Amino acid sequence: MRTQMNGYIVADADAWIYRFFGFQVCSPQDIRQALADNPPGETLTLEINNGGGSLFAGFEIYSVLLGAQCPTEAEVQSMAASAASVAMLGCRRVKATPVAQVMVHNPALPASGNQHVHYKTAEDLEKFAQSLLNAYEIKCRGKRSREELASMLDAETWLTVQEAVEAGLVDEVIGGGDSLIPSQVMNAVGGGLPSAAELRAKKAAMELAAAQSNGCAEAAGGESRANGAPEEAGDQARLAASLSLKKYY
């Protein structure tokens, strides 16, 4: 069976709000469901076109795949960047097309406060990076040392499919050979997603505006009837407000 890990990686609790606003995302529950739906005895192939996202959601996907009872393989079709580059390593075998790219870098998070807060944030980020290195080092099987992998994270390294194979992060080039030289020019991972909190606030504002519009329409309909206006005009206003409200759900 084939399934996709496309869009940004987000936590299960946040996936619904991103999808409500039309963002394509992937959460650990999507992978759990794919494993549950996979026919007995078949290999689950995970098609990856992913710029990364939440580090801990990526860690969770990695762990879910690592414990899968069925054979699993990752198929990097365009890119596996950031959190996606560690999530894919939970599969038993990693394949990539000749044009695929893998990107690894250090985790990042915003911080505000005094110097103690920033020192603590730096310490936490270093521990997160060590967890990343654990997964990369296990996959590489000695093709790259932990120190070399750490340098790759520091440099925010983009790997062509050949480089990913040489580093041990990819096991096989799909339909490829040593003579293939895919393009190494990539623009960027992307601008990222707005926070789930921002989208929840936006949804709440939309619902409030729709409710206020509905209230104004009802008030206008009542006033029209009081002044002897045809009742149909009020009915039309309420219908329009109702349709406006429903389109947000």
Side-chain angles (χ1 to χ4, degrees):
M1 181 179 121
R2 302 179 74 85
T3 190
Q4 292 78 41
M5 191 172 79
N6 296 348
Y8 281 78
I9 296 173
V10 300
D12 289 332
D14 296 331
W16 73 272
I17 190 66
Y18 286 116
R19 288 170 177 150
F20 176 85
F21 283 98
F23 291 102
Q24 185 178 33
V25 296
C26 176
S27 77
Q29 180 56 36
D30 297 328
I31 306 304
R32 285 192 171 90
Q33 190 61 54
L35 288 169
D37 294 340
N38 191 59
E42 286 192 18
T43 296
L44 178 67
T45 299
L46 191 62
E47 299 175 0
I48 301 177
N49 304 285
N50 198 294
S54 166
L55 175 66
F56 287 101
F59 282 171
E60 187 175 353
I61 291 174
Y62 169 84
S63 300
V64 168
L65 290 167
L66 204 62
Q69 298 302 306
C70 65
T72 56
E73 64 178 19
E75 184 178 287
V76 185
Q77 298 177 336
S78 59
M79 69 172 171
S82 191
S85 70
V86 68
M88 73 176 185
L89 301 184
C91 291
R92 297 185 189 179
R93 189 165 183 81
V94 179
K95 302 178 180 179
T97 67
V99 295
Q101 294 263 329
V102 175
M103 189 273 276
V104 299
H105 67 170
N106 283 313
L109 56 81
S112 61
N114 59 34
Q115 70 272 29
H116 302 295
V117 174
H118 286 278
Y119 286 136
K120 180 63 167 60
T121 300
E123 290 175 357
D124 291 343
L125 286 170
E126 177 57 33
K127 292 178 180 179
F128 301 158
Q130 292 303 314
S131 293
L132 278 172
L133 289 171
N134 288 342
Y136 294 138
E137 188 176 21
I138 290 170
K139 180 63 178 178
C140 286
R141 298 184 182 89
K143 289 187 176 182
R144 292 291 184 274
S145 69
R146 193 176 183 90
E147 291 72 22
E148 289 174 318
L149 289 167
S151 296
M152 291 166 61
L153 265 62
D154 289 341
E156 187 174 293
T157 304
W158 286 92
L159 302 169
T160 64
V161 68
Q162 291 100 329
E163 291 169 337
V165 169
E166 290 170 1
L169 296 177
V170 169
D171 301 302
E172 178 185 337
V173 180
I174 299 171
D178 294 338
S179 62
L180 289 173
I181 306 177
S183 170
Q184 299 185 42
V185 179
M186 299 290 290
N187 288 329
V189 180
L193 294 174
S195 72
E198 290 173 338
L199 292 182
R200 287 189 176 96
K202 182 177 179 180
K203 183 174 185 293
M206 290 164 58
E207 292 171 347
L208 177 60
Q212 290 174 340
S213 175
N214 189 35
C216 290
E218 290 179 352
E223 182 179 348
S224 296
R225 284 191 293 274
N227 294 330
E231 186 173 351
E232 289 76 6
D235 292 339
Q236 291 176 355
R238 284 193 298 276
L239 177 59
S242 176
L243 292 174
S244 177
L245 179 62
K246 287 179 180 177
K247 73 179 181 180
Y248 296 122
Y249 291 90

